[in-house]
Amino acid sequence: KPDKAILDYEKAIALDSTNFDANYNLCALYYNNAVETIKKAQDETDNDKYNKMVTQAKSVMQQALPFLERAHRLNPTDKNTMISLKEIYYRLGKLEKSKEMKKALGM
């Protein structure tokens, strides 16, 4: 039940914004939702609908980004967080930030 999980993570973050797991997991829920939207968009033959779906997915990723960035500040050596940041930055066109994460990962 992703909608309930989102509410629960938001509540946990409201109670303790330094909760790494809540920040990371909330981002993961948003990110996974965005990726599913992109996958569906790839099957769309109507260009306007495709663009709308991709825009929606990017909006969800943008919504996820502050939580992931906070998780990274809380645990700057967590590789999964850095990998996720690299991907989200890339998908949002923040290529320099994506390169920074790639470098931090030793890639």
Side-chain angles (χ1 to χ4, degrees), residues 36-51:
E36 283 302 314
T37 300
I38 289 170
K39 285 180 184 178
K40 289 177 186 174
Q42 291 172 344
D43 293 331
E44 184 56 60
T45 56
D46 182 308
N47 199 39
D48 289 336
K49 288 181 183 177
Y50 169 84
N51 288 332

Side-chain angles (χ1 to χ4, degrees), residues 3 5 12 21 24-25 42 54 62 65 67 75 80 96 99 104:
D3 291 339
D21 290 329
Y24 182 83
N25 290 332
Q42 291 172 344
V54 169
Q62 190 64 47
L65 188 57
F67 300 104
N75 187 351
N80 289 327
E96 285 304 313
K99 286 178 187 177

